[in-house]
DNA sequence: GCCAACGTTGGC
DNA sequence: GCCAACGTTGGC
């Protein structure tokens, strides 16, 4: 089993929104970055654990846990001209973009702020904290995952 | 709203 | 294949 961190803007889709989804599941559409796509398409497996991170908001930080419940399949929003995620280079025959489904696992009693993550030497290698890291999906080591859970 | 740090695009 | 210009991300 692997561990991941996925960013979402809570104004658009928060951990509460995931909780309130029917079946508490959501398909992770709209990723248009090759590195993030490759992680989803090639490496994310059913049962992997995901740190659900709130970005671009008042208190950025880890808000809870989700689980990968469906492995990568084509992101149909990429060939929908009406979608803001439309990419004319992606077609049903030759899809360029992929997504996974995740399921709500738990909401932390508190959001663990980015600021706090930065204070711990144990997390100095965390990809999220590396300079200029703008990936919306990134791998997290088991040690980092466990440590972040211990901060709740 | 600012801006640093990226990723992508496209001309050459 | 290089690289300048542009667009985006995301913390502050």
């Amino acid at each position: 089993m692997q561990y991941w961190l996925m960013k979402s803007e809570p104004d658009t889709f928060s951990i509460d929104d995931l909780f309130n989804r029917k079946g508490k599941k959501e398909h992770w559409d709209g990723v248009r970055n090759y590195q993030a796509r490759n992680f989803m398409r090639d490496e994310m497996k059913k049962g992997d654990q995901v740190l659900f991170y709130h970005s671009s908001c008042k208190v950025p930080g880890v808000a809870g846990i989700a689980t990968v419940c469906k492995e990568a399949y084509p992101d149909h929003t990429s060939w929908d001209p009406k979608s803001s995620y439309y990419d004319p280079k992606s077609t049903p025959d030759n899809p360029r973009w992929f997504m996974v489904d995740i399921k709500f696992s738990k909401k932390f009693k508190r959001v663990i702020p980015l600021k706090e993550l930065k204070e711990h030497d144990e997390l100095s290698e965390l990809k999220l904290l590396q300079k200029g890291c703008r990936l919306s999906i990134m791998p997290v080591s088991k040690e980092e995952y466990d440590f972040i859970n211990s901060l709740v």
Side-chain angles (χ1 to χ4, degrees), chain A residues 41 53 65-66 114:
Chain A
R41 188 190 59 188
Y53 180 86
I65 306 285
L114 174 63

Side-chain angles (χ1 to χ4, degrees), chain A residues 13 18 21 24-28 69 100-103:
Chain A
F13 190 77
L18 181 61
R21 275 287 183 276
K24 304 195 187 310
K25 292 178 184 174
E26 179 70 325
H27 48 274
W28 210 252
C69 61
V100 299
D101 288 358
I102 64 167
K103 184 174 177 150

Side-chain angles (χ1 to χ4, degrees), chain A residues 31-104:
Chain A
V31 171
R32 296 292 179 268
N33 169 282
Y34 290 104
Q35 239 185 309
R37 178 204 66 181
N38 293 348
F39 283 137
M40 281 200 291
R41 188 190 59 188
D42 306 334
E43 296 189 43
M44 286 185 114
K45 299 296 174 204
K46 200 170 173 178
D48 283 2
Q49 300 295 110
V50 176
L51 295 168
F52 195 105
Y53 180 86
H54 283 175
S55 68
S56 294
C57 56
K58 197 161 184 185
V59 182
V62 181
I65 306 285
T67 308
V68 177
C69 61
K70 182 173 178 180
E71 293 174 15
Y73 58 107
D75 179 346
H76 56 79
T77 65
S78 68
W79 55 71
D80 175 5
K82 291 193 291 290
S83 170
S84 55
Y85 299 128
Y86 178 58
D87 179 355
K89 298 194 189 94
S90 182
T91 65
D93 286 340
N94 188 18
R96 173 173 295 208
W97 302 110
F98 290 79
M99 58 187 173
V100 299
D101 288 358
I102 64 167
K103 184 174 177 150
F104 178 87

Side-chain angles (χ1 to χ4, degrees), chain A residues 123-142:
Chain A
L123 299 176
S124 61
E125 301 292 313
L126 190 67
K127 285 215 168 35
L128 178 74
L129 304 181
Q130 305 312 307
K131 188 176 176 183
C133 177
R134 302 187 319 179
L135 270 179
S136 62
I137 298 173
M138 65 193 81
V140 172
S141 74
K142 181 178 188 337

Side-chain angles (χ1 to χ4, degrees), chain A residues 5-6 8 10 13-16 50-55 57 59-66 104-114 117 148-149 152:
Chain A
L5 182 145
M6 293 168 89
S8 185
F13 190 77
S14 70
I15 188 86
D16 291 319
V50 176
L51 295 168
F52 195 105
Y53 180 86
H54 283 175
S55 68
C57 56
V59 182
V62 181
I65 306 285
F104 178 87
S105 179
K106 80 173 142 185
K107 179 183 176 179
F108 288 161
K109 289 195 292 286
R110 66 184 186 103
V111 171
I112 304 168
L114 174 63
L117 300 178
I148 289 170
N149 272 274
V152 179

